[in-house]
Amino acid sequence: MSRSSLWAIPLGGLGEFGMNMMALRSGDDIIVIDAGMMFPEQELLGVDVVIPDITYLKQNRHMVRAIVLTHGHEDHIGAIPYILGDLNVPVYGTQFTLALVRRRLEERGLLEEAKLHEVAPGQIVRIEPFQIEFLHVTHSTIDCVALAIRTPVGVIIHTGDFKIDPTPVDGRPFDLHAFARYGQEGVLALFSDSTNVERPGYTPSERAVVVRLEELCRAAPQKIVVSCFASSIHRIQQVIDLAGIIGRKVGIVGRSMITNVETAHALGKLRIPDGTIVRPQDLRSFDPKHLMVLASGTQAEPMSSLSRIAVDNHRLISIGQNDTMILSARIIPGNEKNIFRMIDHLFRRGVLVYYEGGRAAPIHVSGHASQEEMKIVLQLVRPKYFVPLHGEYRQLFRHAALAEQMGAVSEEIVLLESGQSIEFTADGKAARREPVPAGRVMVDSGSLEEIEDVVIRDRRHLAEDGVVVPIIAIDKHTGRMETQPQIVTRGFLPSDDGSEILAHARDVVLRTVDQSTTEEKTDWSVIKEKIRVDLKRFLNKQTSKRPLILPVILEL
Ligand SMILES: [Zn+2]
Ligand SMILES: [Zn+2]
């Protein structure tokens, strides 16, 4: 391929939610923008992580020069550890983004070999034949950038995730000037975030949440638990500031919350006055009227601190009558059932629960641009070509329609889905090209092994290691286990007759159930997941096999 053309090849995140990744190729040089993951849907049993198919990059591995990151959200960096193991190319990102990447690489023993290059907004990096300027944008986490990339055929702007927050908590504004500067110069193609295209108007500033949060916290009679995404550093900062204002100390629970707070604080990106933090071991005895706890687990993930707190099975804190719980996060579609069940648990214990929905002042605001902000970016950049990014097809479509209405795009608006490539040529023309392999790759995080397809994966587990079905009977009302658990296996033969292993496996299930609270036991998604995780760990350790584990609960 000649240097006088540019191929843009979306490998994930277009037409689907999550695992954002796009390759740009000119001649024999490829750079990759973002390498995200998506969380598996519930029907993907036993799959821990879903990442984009990188067959195209592997086929052209000698051409891949770098991965360039826009920000540290999982849907942009989550696939890095899986990809670097196979394709150890330099990774460029801002300070906080790389701090998060570093942690993930360290967990998997990949940090030593990794080539990480820190960049700052405003900086220009050359990766021949590309020249990349990092432009600061505002979003729900910190240190986020858009990319302005000079290529042999023109300038490409990739917004990453953004909103235009006029009053950012960290005081660092969206770099509208840079967008305007490139617009003035002429931009070949704009690739832009479509997440919130269904929302008219402007997304409120991150600061908008503080009004309602303060009102709720001042009125709280006992302890307060605030839950938000662990990556929402702006939100965490506002909660810490608010605690100071109303005279409360702050406890932090949940692994991701603790590590993100530590990471941001170590980089000087989170201000925590001395004496603010309550040690975990002191949380239980601390005066509830002066305590505010930050916890992760807003989506009611089965093992998260919030889920445990809701069923009173958390090691460090308990919650009850007249305590306040504020869910300062979006309810992600698909998680409603679990979240509302968790909220029910809390209301049942007499907790004052506040969550997003229908109130005048918000307790959560989005990190993504609404229509008017999308228009501002389109208007400033005025590209020849426009490709909507980051969304399901309807969102890409509506973003395209918005651009069409405005008349801000001089040549063409192009709707692409993952795998569909487009070629731009030096004479300013563009054409769709042959699709490249793209799709979802399932990963079992315990083994770091890739699973091409969930069906193949299940079949292979079945073929090699069989299936293990623990069956327990639980009384729906009392949460009592009425009979001994049974374990049925097919094709799973640990050793000899395996009866000893299975007897132990029964004990594992018994112990898991015994150590769960009544609410966990009657919440079948929770108890099933607990049994699956414990049994998987046990069987893997004892037999080094990985059978498919399908807990079955009989309702009595
Ligand atoms: Zn993001
Ligand atoms: Zn994103």
Side-chain angles (χ1 to χ4, degrees), residues 17-20 34 70-71 73-76 139 160-162 193 195 368 390:
F17 187 75
M19 59 177 216
N20 297 287
D34 288 336
T70 59
H71 66 292
H73 277 150
E74 291 290 356
D75 59 325
H76 298 258
H139 183 41
D161 291 2
F162 76 96
D193 175 8
T195 313
H368 294 275
H390 207 283

Side-chain angles (χ1 to χ4, degrees), residues 340 342-355:
F340 290 134
M342 177 177 80
I343 290 173
D344 286 344
H345 288 318
L346 291 163
F347 274 129
R348 247 181 233 117
R349 338 190 128 259
V351 178
L352 311 165
V353 192
Y354 301 93
Y355 51 98

Side-chain angles (χ1 to χ4, degrees), residues 207-341:
R207 286 188 199 267
V209 300
V210 83
V211 179
R212 179 77 177 148
L213 284 183
E214 179 165 357
E215 189 181 299
L216 294 176
C217 291
R218 282 196 188 278
Q222 295 288 329
K223 89 175 57 118
I224 306 169
V225 178
V226 180
S227 187
C228 65
F229 290 113
S231 59
S232 302
I233 305 299
H234 302 304
R235 189 75 43 89
I236 293 168
Q237 180 71 67
Q238 295 193 105
V239 169
I240 290 171
D241 292 348
L242 179 57
I245 292 168
I246 63 173
R248 289 186 182 243
K249 301 288 181 202
V250 179
I252 299 170
V253 301
R255 199 171 69 103
S256 58
M257 187 61 83
I258 290 168
T259 44
N260 277 24
V261 166
E262 280 174 358
T263 305
H265 186 239
L267 297 176
K269 292 178 189 289
L270 197 58
R271 301 177 307 273
I272 308 177
D274 289 344
T276 301
I277 302 294
V278 182
R279 295 186 307 172
Q281 62 268 39
D282 298 337
L283 286 174
R284 270 194 191 277
S285 55
F286 204 87
D287 174 8
K289 289 190 169 65
H290 291 104
L291 182 62
M292 183 130 128
V293 175
L294 265 165
S296 47
T298 59
Q299 301 307 305
E301 301 88 338
M303 298 307 192
S304 67
S305 13
L306 212 56
S307 290
R308 288 173 192 261
I309 292 170
V311 294
D312 201 22
N313 189 22
H314 197 280
R315 205 159 45 82
L316 300 171
I317 68 165
S318 62
I319 194 166
Q321 199 72 34
N322 286 329
D323 287 332
T324 298
M325 167 71 78
I326 303 172
L327 290 174
S328 182
R330 183 167 86 102
I331 294 175
I332 294 178
N335 298 340
E336 298 95 337
K337 245 174 115 178
N338 289 344
I339 295 173
F340 290 134
R341 196 161 38 207

Side-chain angles (χ1 to χ4, degrees), residues 362-380:
I363 54 174
H364 168 68
V365 293
S366 172
H368 294 275
S370 299
Q371 288 172 5
E372 295 306 315
E373 296 150 273
M374 293 175 174
K375 288 185 195 166
I376 290 173
V377 166
L378 278 158
Q379 198 63 260
L380 287 178

